[in-house]
């Protein structure tokens, strides 16, 4: 059985998470614009994975004018590529990465009842998947591991 490697992170929230995300994006050579900040703040405030439409609605309400979901999708794609957010593939939704400066592959546990997503860091398991894919001739591998069930709060 693979051991779970626990990463010790401080888990910033609110403005400190937004500030860490801004630093990580600028360090990656991208600009941190007002719109990107608003999208990230709206994403980070969500209690469960959110769609681009959910984020567009939250930003629209905060701005007092409509923001197109297409604009939000482009920003979310940048955030995923820059490790500021993660995409929950099975739900076509996104969550803010609570530690944007740390790159590792996550295993997501998604509750079918309340919709919350919890991530596990198990480098042994995701590493084994990457090695198996490399052995099959794949390159540029990005493990996407999602387990669906009922969380302990809903059970």
């Amino acid at each position: 059985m693979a051991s779970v490697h626990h990463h010790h992170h401080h888990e910033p929230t609110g403005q400190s998470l937004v500030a860490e995300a801004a630093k990580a994006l600028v360090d990656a050579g991208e600009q941190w614009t007002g719109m990107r900040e608003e999208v990230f703040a709206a994403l980070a405030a969500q209690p469960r994975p959110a769609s681009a439409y959910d984020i567009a609605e939250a930003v629209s309400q905060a701005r007092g004018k409509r923001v197109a979901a297409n604009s939000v999708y482009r920003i979310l794609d940048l955030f995923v590529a820059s490790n500021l957010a993660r995409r929950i593939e099975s739900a076509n939704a996104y969550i803010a990465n609570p530690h944007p400066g740390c790159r590792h592959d996550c295993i997501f546990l998604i509750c079918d009842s309340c919709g919350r997503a919890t991530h596990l860091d198990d480098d042994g398991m995701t590493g084994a998947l990457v090695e198996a894919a490399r052995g099959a001739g794949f390159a540029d591998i990005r493990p996407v591991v999602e387990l669906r069930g009922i969380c302990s709060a809903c059970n």
Side-chain angles (χ1 to χ4, degrees), residues 6 17 41 51 76 86 98-99 107 111 116 118 120 122-123 127 130 135 144 149:
H6 293 285
L17 178 57
S51 72
L76 290 171
R86 301 287 186 153
H99 36 85
I107 299 168
C111 180
R116 290 195 185 271
T118 303
L120 296 177
D122 187 333
D123 294 335
V130 168
V144 176

Side-chain angles (χ1 to χ4, degrees), residues 88-105:
I88 304 296
E89 303 284 342
S90 64
N92 192 22
Y94 300 83
I95 60 172
N97 182 351
H99 36 85
C102 180
R103 287 204 175 266
H104 58 85
D105 298 309

Side-chain angles (χ1 to χ4, degrees), residues 40-126:
F40 187 84
L43 180 63
Q46 299 296 315
R48 58 190 51 81
S51 72
Y53 292 96
D54 296 331
I55 300 304
E57 180 62 27
V59 174
S60 294
Q61 287 181 356
R63 285 188 151 202
K65 65 179 184 177
R66 187 178 172 283
V67 172
N70 285 346
S71 299
V72 172
Y73 266 118
R74 282 192 296 275
I75 292 170
L76 290 171
D77 287 345
L78 172 66
F79 288 172
V80 169
S82 302
N83 199 41
L84 303 185
R86 301 287 186 153
R87 185 167 187 268
I88 304 296
E89 303 284 342
S90 64
N92 192 22
Y94 300 83
I95 60 172
N97 182 351
H99 36 85
C102 180
R103 287 204 175 266
H104 58 85
D105 298 309
C106 295
I107 299 168
F108 288 103
L109 307 175
I110 303 154
C111 180
D112 287 327
S113 181
C114 69
R116 290 195 185 271
T118 303
H119 86 269
L120 296 177
D121 299 329
D122 187 333
D123 294 335
M125 185 174 293
T126 55

